Amino acid sequence: MAATMPTQIRIEKNVKEQATALFADLGLDMSSAVNIFLRQCILRGGLPFAVEVPRYNRETELAMIEAREIMSGKREARRYSSAKELFDELDAEE
């Protein structure tokens, strides 16, 4: 086995917890998973996955803006007294 070297990295607490649980399900510890990642970077001469900003169509972008405004209280959300009322309104939009 090759000599190892201690390395410190900073990871957000919730990211570390989720990753640790995922790796445990895969039978790996954090150190093994990071070693696999680094070996893949070396093998591929870069990151082993695409790093990009997701692109959404205009309708999806507007829906996301609306959802953020509703969540922040900037916009009032429409409420329905029943699922039928909701579906009737959706059908009327078509």
Side-chain angles (χ1 to χ4, degrees), residues 19-33 36:
T20 299
L22 171 65
F23 299 149
D25 288 345
L26 297 171
L28 299 169
D29 60 13
M30 182 68 72
S31 183
S32 297
I36 290 170

Side-chain angles (χ1 to χ4, degrees):
M1 180 174 195
T4 61
M5 195 172 183
T7 303
Q8 266 188 356
I9 57 174
R10 295 201 175 278
I11 305 170
E12 292 177 20
K13 182 181 180 200
N14 66 327
V15 171
K16 182 179 180 185
E17 289 169 352
Q18 291 177 45
T20 299
L22 171 65
F23 299 149
D25 288 345
L26 297 171
L28 299 169
D29 60 13
M30 182 68 72
S31 183
S32 297
V34 170
N35 272 293
I36 290 170
F37 169 75
L38 295 175
R39 288 178 181 275
Q40 284 295 307
C41 289
I42 294 165
L43 179 70
R44 297 170 188 270
L47 294 175
F49 47 80
V51 178
E52 54 194 31
V53 176
R55 300 283 180 205
Y56 302 103
N57 65 36
R58 186 67 183 147
E59 183 179 9
T60 301
E61 288 176 349
L62 291 173
M64 290 167 49
I65 290 167
E66 180 181 7
R68 284 189 203 104
E69 289 176 352
I70 290 169
M71 297 285 291
S72 69
K74 292 180 183 176
R75 182 187 292 212
E76 186 70 27
R78 174 79 166 89
R79 299 189 185 276
Y80 301 93
S81 58
S82 69
K84 181 181 181 336
E85 182 182 354
L86 166 64
F87 289 116
D88 288 346
E89 183 172 313
L90 289 172
D91 289 340
E93 290 179 7
E94 293 177 2

